[in-house]
Amino acid sequence: MGKIYFYFLILGVLIAYYIYTPLPDNIEEPWKIMLFNALMKTSSYLALFAEILGINHFMESIVFLSSFLEVPPTSDENVTVRDTTFNNIPVRIYVPKRKPESLRRGLFYIHGGGWCLNSNALFSYDLLSRWTADRLDAVVISTNYRLAPKYHFPVQFEDVYTALKWFLHPKFLEGYGVDPGRVGISGDSAGGNLAAVVTQQLLDDPDVKVKLKIQSLIYPALQTLDVDSPSYRENSHFPVLPKSLMVRFWSEYFTTDRSLEEAMLSNQHVPVESSHLFQFVNWSSLLPEKFKKGHIYKNPTHGSSELAKKYPGFLDVRAAPLLADDKKLRGLPLTYVITCQYDVLRDDGLMYVTRLRNAGVQVTHNHIEGAFHGTLSFLQFNIGHRTVNQYISWLHTNL
Ligand SMILES: *[C@@H]1O[C@H](CO)[C@@H](O)[C@H](O)[C@H]1NC(C)=O
Ligand SMILES: *[C@@H]1O[C@H](CO)[C@@H](O)[C@H](O)[C@H]1NC(C)=O
């Protein structure tokens, strides 16, 4: 008997060791995050193992595992939900059931997942869109797009742009009773990247007459050039999105060849011919003082031109919207940016806020202390709940 207790004790200690992750003091509900992180770690290990054995690509295993978190399009007492396609792109539409008093708001939502993972059917994205539609009395379109590693840049961008243009068509808006003067776009993480990119793209598109009233970028990824900014340094091992995973997402967006990832990890992937682009992502000049504290800016070291010739996407403004010049930024609509304290992507958001403001664009910046990447998908966490309320209330006032 004694022996069995001893083995249980050892097992318990090992499990506790596996789950325990040191977290900063201002993190709420740390045990919830640790448990979630242990789940994520376990799926990553399984996916890595399958990849090493040559059974499945890492991202495809994760997609398979997370497909268990998907829900069908089910209407509830307040919102009618259905799946359809816009020019072959699958979208989920949320329409409030209550009788409209006037024309409604319209919101186009793009989910995150590093251009490789997730879908609009994921439980948390479905719930977010439901709440948004209900509380804003808005028609919400939540789009899908084809994912890496099967499809690379610019497919994700093109799919989203195609679906967005379908939505913005005056006939479509009219059919759904949407006010063309109150249409906005929103996305989180890689979806925030795509939202920023298509919003820029619309500025030069003579075919689209309807203008976006707002763009909302939730902890977006906005640049590929410098993955050694203070937020990358400080949060490189933080749960949910460690630097290694973010860099893998970026490189998978452009290619399955792992050499881009390797070069990015040492921050030596930008060829000398493109060094003029560094001014657009220079955190030394673009970050507020408090976020630079204790960090020393190193002028970038350059990588081979080969890489950029093979995968030019990583220097393309349609992948890295921070690379747009000021003239372009000037035309952008009212912008809402959420950044989180514990997020490698924090500085991408901060730098875009600075650049947009310098270009004269009106920006509301919501920096959330104690929050981590993906907060808006953790609706069962206090901080996730609070953040969603702030987000929806901003939309309520501004859309
Ligand atoms: C529907 O709306 C009512 C009134 O706002 C609210 O109390 C209820 O929780 C909503 N139902 C769902 C499923 O969200
Ligand atoms: C970045 O900004 C700093 C300070 O403003 C400046 O000294 C440095 O030369 C800049 N580097 C690049 C590559 O733009």
Side-chain angles (χ1 to χ4, degrees), residues 64-215:
F64 170 74
L65 290 170
S66 63
S67 65
F68 294 102
L69 300 173
E70 291 183 356
V71 293
T74 315
S75 301
D76 63 34
E77 52 185 312
N78 302 328
V79 183
T80 305
V81 183
R82 68 185 184 91
D83 282 348
T84 183
T85 56
F86 286 179
N87 205 359
N88 292 324
I89 312 297
V91 299
R92 189 167 282 194
I93 306 188
Y94 302 79
V95 182
K97 276 187 178 163
R98 78 184 86 124
K99 250 179 113 75
E101 283 157 24
S102 54
L103 288 177
R104 291 194 152 111
R105 300 173 168 101
L107 185 73
F108 187 85
Y109 194 86
I110 311 163
H111 73 77
W115 309 275
C116 297
L117 311 176
N118 299 347
S119 90
N120 59 6
L122 221 59
F123 167 77
S124 52
Y125 285 122
D126 183 73
L127 193 57
L128 179 63
S129 291
R130 237 167 243 283
W131 285 356
T132 315
D134 184 29
R135 288 165 55 184
L136 291 179
D137 193 22
V139 173
V140 175
I141 307 297
S142 179
T143 193
N144 271 346
Y145 45 90
R146 283 170 290 171
L147 301 172
K150 195 153 178 215
Y151 301 97
H152 296 292
F153 172 86
V155 167
Q156 288 79 345
F157 153 73
E158 284 167 353
D159 282 0
V160 169
Y161 199 51
T162 301
L164 176 65
K165 286 205 287 193
W166 186 283
F167 172 57
L168 293 181
H169 199 280
K171 281 256 152 47
F172 181 90
L173 297 177
E174 198 189 320
Y176 276 85
V178 173
D179 182 347
R182 297 178 88 181
V183 180
I185 192 167
S186 179
D188 67 292
S189 197
N193 166 277
L194 292 162
V197 167
V198 295
T199 305
Q200 289 185 0
Q201 202 69 22
L202 279 178
L203 299 177
D204 301 326
D205 194 329
D207 297 341
V208 186
K209 301 287 183 271
V210 173
K211 297 262 175 287
L212 294 176
K213 187 170 184 201
I214 61 103
Q215 64 170 337

Side-chain angles (χ1 to χ4, degrees), residues 275 278-279 282 284-285 297 299-300:
S275 46
F278 277 108
Q279 60 178 307
N282 184 343
S284 170
S285 55
Y297 183 80
N299 270 320

Side-chain angles (χ1 to χ4, degrees), residues 293-342:
K293 228 188 284 162
H295 294 281
I296 294 167
Y297 183 80
K298 289 198 290 269
N299 270 320
T301 40
H302 296 289
S304 81
S305 320
E306 279 311 295
L307 216 47
K309 273 203 199 91
K310 277 208 281 206
Y311 314 116
F314 77 86
L315 297 169
D316 194 315
V317 67
R318 295 169 307 162
L322 256 168
L323 301 184
D325 58 23
D326 290 0
K327 203 167 123 251
K328 177 86 180 218
L329 298 184
R330 232 168 270 152
L332 290 171
L334 172 62
T335 300
Y336 181 66
V337 179
I338 291 184
T339 53
C340 298
Q341 182 181 11
Y342 302 112

Side-chain angles (χ1 to χ4, degrees), residues 3-4 32 34 80 86 177 192 207 232 247:
K3 240 186 189 163
I4 287 187
K32 262 195 191 171
M34 285 182 211
T80 305
F86 286 179
D207 297 341
Y232 269 101
V247 169

